[in-house]
């Protein structure tokens, strides 16, 4: 029997890229991605915003009971959000009059109040807005470099790292053992894949997961490198510095200051709320307590890592994404 190609594949690439945005739910998305290699690649490029829309539409299938499962998972954040100002409180009360469906709709829309400013910030650090200046390579940008960054994906990667290892940060601040450096590096290696993440002395990447087909076929190619560029960008650091000032001055001790900077970043997706007007207010109590714990750290007990194996990492206990991501992508300079 002769092999036939779907007429859909004859359409221009620009049209094919639009298909996932017209799907009804995650089940349709899953079916499309498993159709062939072309659609699998297209589905990999779909933005997190679109995935969230499909997840909301799929709540009756994947998140039962619908919509209580998703509302229960995120209601705490909407409560804090409503306390920020009178306008938010009014919006919450209006949504409640439409029952649980109204609350679910408010939860869905309110997430983008936080997400969109974060995406815009990253886009100005390493995305289209960053590239779109006159004489980019000739003084247009002081940090000009070749960076292939998807701002939406980078936002969620940074947020997931913060949420996943926040308990480790808290444990270390309280003198308890958290997840070790090897575990954190494994998350970066395999959950933020990068074509330039490969072996060098003292560092090993298994040919598994996103690297099963080899580095040359790995997509995306520069996620780790892009996030390192973002975290070192003045555009990124300035608004976070302004947010930290609301919780107290910086530390004179460079190790405490490094932990403090990382701790503020490690508040998950909701932490990006600190970057919107008056958004830092609801974080004041939590961040003050976090800062007090950092003040009490006995810096003499911090175990140093070997520089020749772990790059710029100064100690093992505390999660510092900027240092750890450099450790993973360091092989591109070896």
């Amino acid at each position: 029997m002769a092999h036939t190609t779907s007429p859909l594949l004859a359409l221009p690439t620009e049209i094919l890229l639009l298909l996932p945005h017209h799907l009804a739910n995650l089940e349709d998305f899953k079916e499309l991605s498993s159709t062939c290699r072309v659609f699998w690649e297209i589905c990999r490029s779909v933005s997190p915003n679109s995935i969230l829309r499909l997840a909301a539409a799929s709540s009756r299938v994947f998140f039962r009971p619908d919509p209580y499962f998703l509302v229960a998972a995120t209601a705490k954040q909407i409560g804090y959000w409503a306390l920020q100002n009178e306008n938010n409180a009014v919006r919450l009360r209006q949504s409640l009059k439409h029952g649980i469906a109204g609350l679910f709709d408010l939860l869905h829309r309110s997430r983008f109040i936080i997400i969109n400013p974060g995406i815009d910030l990253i886009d100005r650090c390493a995305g289209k807005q960053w590239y779109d200046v006159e004489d980019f390579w000739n003084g247009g940008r002081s940090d000009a470099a070749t960076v292939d960054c998807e701002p939406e994906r980078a936002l969620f990667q940074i947020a997931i790292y913060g949420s996943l290892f926040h308990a480790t940060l808290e444990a270390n601040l309280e003198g308890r053992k958290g997840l070790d450096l090897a575990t954190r590096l494994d998350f970066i290696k395999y959950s933020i894949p990068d074509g330039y993440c490969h072996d060098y002395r003292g560092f090993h990447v298994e040919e598994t997961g996103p690297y099963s087909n080899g580095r040359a076929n790995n997509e995306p190619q520069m996620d780790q490198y892009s996030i390192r560029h973002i975290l070192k960008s003045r555009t990124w650091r300035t608004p976070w510095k302004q947010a930290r000032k609301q919780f107290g001055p910086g530390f004179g001790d460079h190790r405490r200051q490094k932990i403090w900077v990382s701790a503020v970043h490690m508040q998950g997706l909701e932490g990006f709320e600190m970057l919107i007007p008056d958004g830092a207010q609801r974080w004041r109590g939590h961040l003050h307590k976090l800062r007090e714990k950092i003040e009490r750290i006995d810096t003499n007990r911090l175990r140093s890592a070997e520089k020749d194996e772990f790059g710029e990492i100064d100690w093992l206990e505390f999660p510092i994404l900027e240092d750890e991501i450099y450790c993973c992508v360091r092989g591109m300079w070896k």
Side-chain angles (χ1 to χ4, degrees):
M1 182 176 175
H3 176 74
T4 58
T5 301
S6 169
L8 274 176
L9 298 179
L11 293 172
T13 302
E14 294 79 5
I15 300 297
L16 294 177
L17 289 171
L18 295 175
L19 287 178
H21 301 285
H22 296 276
L23 300 175
N25 51 46
L26 279 178
E27 191 171 26
D28 289 349
F29 181 83
K30 176 177 174 293
E31 292 298 327
L32 179 65
S33 66
S34 62
T35 302
C36 66
R37 177 77 181 185
V38 172
F39 287 131
W40 181 76
E41 291 288 353
I42 288 172
C43 288
R44 288 187 68 187
S45 67
V46 174
S47 72
N49 284 0
S50 295
I51 296 295
L52 283 175
R53 178 187 65 79
L54 293 171
S58 304
S59 58
R60 292 188 182 277
V61 178
F62 296 102
F63 304 107
R64 296 176 180 173
D66 170 54
Y68 297 95
F69 185 97
L70 289 177
V71 171
T74 52
K76 182 178 180 180
Q77 285 73 35
I78 205 66
Y80 280 114
W81 171 82
L83 288 174
Q84 287 178 10
N85 56 62
E86 184 62 26
N87 182 56
N88 290 357
V90 170
R91 289 180 61 190
L92 172 60
R93 189 171 182 183
Q94 290 173 340
S95 72
L96 293 176
K97 294 177 181 179
H98 296 281
I100 195 70
L103 182 56
F104 176 79
D105 183 60
L106 178 63
L107 287 167
H108 182 65
R109 287 184 284 112
S110 68
R111 305 294 280 187
F112 293 100
I113 296 174
I114 299 172
I115 292 171
N116 289 340
I119 293 172
D120 179 70
L121 173 62
I122 291 176
D123 192 49
R124 288 185 283 113
C125 292
K128 186 177 184 300
Q129 292 183 70
W130 177 67
Y131 270 116
D132 194 19
V133 295
E134 189 175 352
D135 294 326
F136 176 83
W137 290 107
N138 299 304
R141 290 292 185 198
S142 60
D143 58 347
T146 300
V147 179
D148 183 11
C149 175
E150 170 48 63
E152 292 178 321
R153 185 170 61 240
L155 173 84
F156 281 86
Q157 288 167 335
I158 293 169
I160 292 169
Y161 175 92
S163 294
L164 186 60
F165 298 114
H166 186 271
T168 292
L169 169 69
E170 292 279 4
N172 292 333
L173 289 173
E174 296 169 4
R176 296 179 288 109
K177 185 178 181 180
L179 294 172
D180 62 11
L181 176 64
T183 301
R184 303 196 302 268
L185 293 181
D186 277 348
F187 168 77
I188 296 171
K189 291 176 191 176
Y190 306 111
S191 296
I192 310 178
D194 193 303
Y196 296 107
C197 179
H198 53 73
D199 292 2
Y200 60 88
R201 189 167 67 87
F203 183 84
H204 177 61
V205 185
E206 297 180 25
E207 298 290 332
T208 187
Y211 306 112
S212 297
N213 296 322
R215 294 297 186 283
N217 296 317
N218 182 68
E219 293 291 344
Q221 277 283 349
M222 300 184 71
D223 274 16
Q224 293 174 18
Y225 182 84
S226 297
I227 290 177
R228 181 172 184 264
H229 179 90
I230 291 163
L231 297 180
K232 294 177 74 67
S233 167
R234 183 184 302 173
T235 303
W236 168 268
R237 295 186 175 193
T238 298
W240 286 107
K241 183 178 180 180
Q242 292 171 347
R244 291 195 305 273
K245 283 182 178 179
Q246 299 186 51
F247 311 119
F251 290 97
D253 180 278
H254 79 279
R255 291 184 293 181
R256 280 193 177 87
Q257 178 64 14
K258 201 165 193 178
I259 296 170
W260 171 231
V261 170
S262 180
V264 174
H265 290 167
M266 292 187 63
Q267 304 306 312
L269 192 60
E270 289 77 19
F272 284 88
E273 182 182 20
M274 287 183 265
L275 302 181
I276 65 178
D278 301 320
Q281 292 302 314
R282 90 162 178 89
W283 293 89
R284 190 174 299 278
H286 175 67
L287 269 299
H288 273 308
K289 291 178 181 178
L290 200 60
R291 195 177 189 285
E292 290 172 358
K293 291 179 181 180
I294 295 173
E295 286 178 343
R296 296 195 295 267
I297 291 173
D298 178 6
T299 54
N300 293 321
R301 73 175 175 81
L302 299 178
R303 295 184 294 121
S304 296
E306 296 181 30
K307 290 283 187 177
D308 61 340
E309 290 190 5
F310 298 114
E312 297 175 347
I313 298 176
D314 294 324
W315 56 88
L316 294 176
E317 291 94 336
F318 291 90
I320 308 288
L321 178 58
E322 182 178 339
D323 288 351
E324 292 166 15
I325 213 158
Y326 171 72
C327 181
C328 289
V329 79
R330 188 179 182 221
M332 71 181 295
W333 293 288
K334 295 297 179 181

